[in-house]
Amino acid sequence: MADDWKDQLPLKVINVLVYLLFLGSNISTIFVPTDIYTHYKDTYITPSHGHSSFGLHFLIFPLKSYIQLDSGKRVIIDGISWRFPLLGVFNAVFVNLWASNHHILSFIFAILVSSTVSHIYYIVKKFHTPSNLYDELLVHLPFSLYHGWTTVLVVLTAFESFGADASKVAASPATKAWVFVALLFLESTGATYAFSTPEGDFPAAIAITWALFAIFDHQHTPFIHWSALVFALLSLLWVIKGAYGLVTTWRRGGIVLEDEERAPLTR
């Protein structure tokens, strides 16, 4: 029998309220006169302004309605549980710190956001294999994208906290070396997503690749500019690999997990 819609109602209400906070914090920083994307520290790894998490919050929006269905409740309420409200709070604090140029504090909260998303990502991937198209589109897709994006976010805020200001200081050999290492890390992370499972994690690899192309687009120091392009093209190969693995897996009848991986998070 279907669960009563009142089951764990406080958590459902808080999820919706936190989502509004989650989205509202991003809307306010984009559309107010002193928005985050026009007043920020430009580093040697800053991507173009079109790269942001704003669209991800609209991807998560249908998830709020999916809570009311049995399959949605099992993943969102029983599985993710209070971690999503916690993510919303961390995200709102982070965005406002980032918008007000509190670089070190925003870096700390970027790590908290990334850690929370990583925990949710682990729970969703390990314990809640998609049983239908709604699971794939409304839960796995947005959190895969978000996990990839928060990996980029930690790198960006690290450079904003401790790196040189590109508008004031020329790129030193040390700066170029650190940027190269960061780009290599991002590209390697994309490869990790592609090979993490037989079907790979196609959306997360897209988030990494998109960021690398955005860095290539924004950076004009020749070494950094072309290095970003090379790593972006390599990362694009991992996206293609992930897409091929996903299509192949679904043609074979979906993702297959071992028995212990089918165990629910809550018993």
Side-chain angles (χ1 to χ4, degrees), residues 193-236:
Y193 284 129
F195 290 96
S196 58
T197 60
E199 71 277 1
D201 192 332
F202 174 56
I206 287 179
I208 296 290
T209 303
W210 181 23
L212 287 169
F213 275 111
I215 293 168
F216 159 71
D217 178 63
H218 186 70
Q219 297 299 324
H220 301 293
T221 301
F223 176 78
I224 297 173
H225 179 76
W226 295 115
S227 294
L229 177 61
V230 170
F231 284 122
L233 292 174
L234 287 173
S235 187
L236 185 60

Side-chain angles (χ1 to χ4, degrees), residues 36 39-41 96-104 106 160:
I36 188 173
H39 294 78
Y40 64 96
K41 180 180 177 180
N96 283 280
L97 288 171
W98 201 18
S100 55
N101 292 317
H102 292 87
H103 300 301
I104 293 179
S106 65
E160 289 182 1

Side-chain angles (χ1 to χ4, degrees), residues 1 16 28 51 57 76 78 83 101 106 114 120 126 149 168 177 185 201 210 236 250 252 256 267:
M1 183 174 67
V16 174
S28 64
H51 178 265
H57 304 117
I76 302 161
D78 299 335
R83 296 172 188 86
N101 292 317
S106 65
S114 182
I120 294 173
K126 186 170 180 64
W149 185 81
K168 299 178 181 178
F185 167 74
D201 192 332
W210 181 23
L236 185 60
W250 281 110
R252 291 174 181 171
V256 178
R267 297 177 184 271

